[in-house]
Amino acid sequence: MAFSFTFLGSGTSQGVPIIGADYPPAFLANPKNHRLRSSIYVATDAVKLVVDTTPDFRTQVLRENIRWLDAVVFTHSHADHIMGLDDCRRFCDLRGGKPLPIHADAATMADLRRVFAYAFHGGPWPKGYFIPQEQVFTGPFALGDLQVTPLPLPHGRCTTNGLLIEQAGRKTLAYLNDCKEVPPPALAAVRGVDVAVLDALRPHPHPTHMCLDEALTTARRIGARQTYLTHLTHYYDHDTANAELPAGVELAYDGLKVVCGE
């Protein structure tokens, strides 16, 4: 069965390059070193969804020529993961003025209601405005032919949701972004998944994100067929850093499309 996902962005909360920094010309010449904020687009024959809507969301959608969404799934409510949500108004138009399902845990949904109070209400909505349909998850839920299982992950003072996405009972994708570690219950849930996507903010330690060594240790414990590292800072020069990774692990880059199950 068809299953693909695309990295809409692979960068940290500031993106890469960051404002006001100088970079070697060779670094900037490599398009894989230009990283928008982290998000993925998942597509099957039955459903099309995005995980998080970054401040770069409109640019990302135009670049990938995405013309339809069935749902948005949020991992958490930090600004780099939610601030593009209003651009989903266009998908409401494309859906004939119908609401777009928004899946989030209770804490994240409460923040979305606060930040986007003009959209999260009982209606009516003017034509052309964003119309959310709240879907608060407390456990696994179905989207088309996919089963999505939220997995709580520690991320500083908040808890984010990693996502295990299964198709026809097969563990297809584990998206474990924005976390300091993957706790044992989440590790057990995703072990043996086809593809894992892991937070690997930078080579040296960080208080709320996995660094490279922590991500590589987690990758070994999960044992995915293929692992991609995301939420990357400018400390990674893509080609140089990628060449040093072990077999089966690669740095993600913006626009990378992964076809699963082949």
Side-chain angles (χ1 to χ4, degrees), residues 52 72-78 82 102-113 120 134-141 148-153 158-163:
D52 296 332
V72 177
V73 181
F74 281 105
T75 59
H76 65 301
S77 60
H78 283 173
I82 70 168
I102 306 298
H103 297 260
D105 66 16
T108 299
M109 194 68 77
D111 286 341
L112 294 175
R113 292 189 198 108
F120 284 80
E134 296 183 29
Q135 302 287 338
V136 177
F137 57 69
T138 57
F141 58 96
V148 182
T149 301
L151 302 168
L153 305 173
C158 81
T159 298
T160 67
N161 286 287
L163 303 171

Side-chain angles (χ1 to χ4, degrees), residues 63-82:
R63 186 194 70 213
E64 299 303 326
N65 195 28
I66 298 170
R67 294 172 175 258
W68 183 268
L69 282 181
D70 294 296
V72 177
V73 181
F74 281 105
T75 59
H76 65 301
S77 60
H78 283 173
D80 53 319
H81 293 263
I82 70 168

Side-chain angles (χ1 to χ4, degrees), residues 45-102:
D45 291 335
V47 67
K48 294 175 172 58
L49 64 99
V50 291
V51 177
D52 296 332
T53 56
T54 79
D56 307 306
F57 184 64
R58 176 180 172 274
T59 299
Q60 294 166 332
V61 166
L62 289 172
R63 186 194 70 213
E64 299 303 326
N65 195 28
I66 298 170
R67 294 172 175 258
W68 183 268
L69 282 181
D70 294 296
V72 177
V73 181
F74 281 105
T75 59
H76 65 301
S77 60
H78 283 173
D80 53 319
H81 293 263
I82 70 168
M83 293 309 292
L85 182 57
D86 185 71
D87 287 323
C88 286
R89 63 171 59 192
R90 179 59 182 150
F91 292 110
C92 294
D93 278 347
L94 293 169
R95 293 165 59 85
K98 296 179 180 178
L100 180 64
I102 306 298

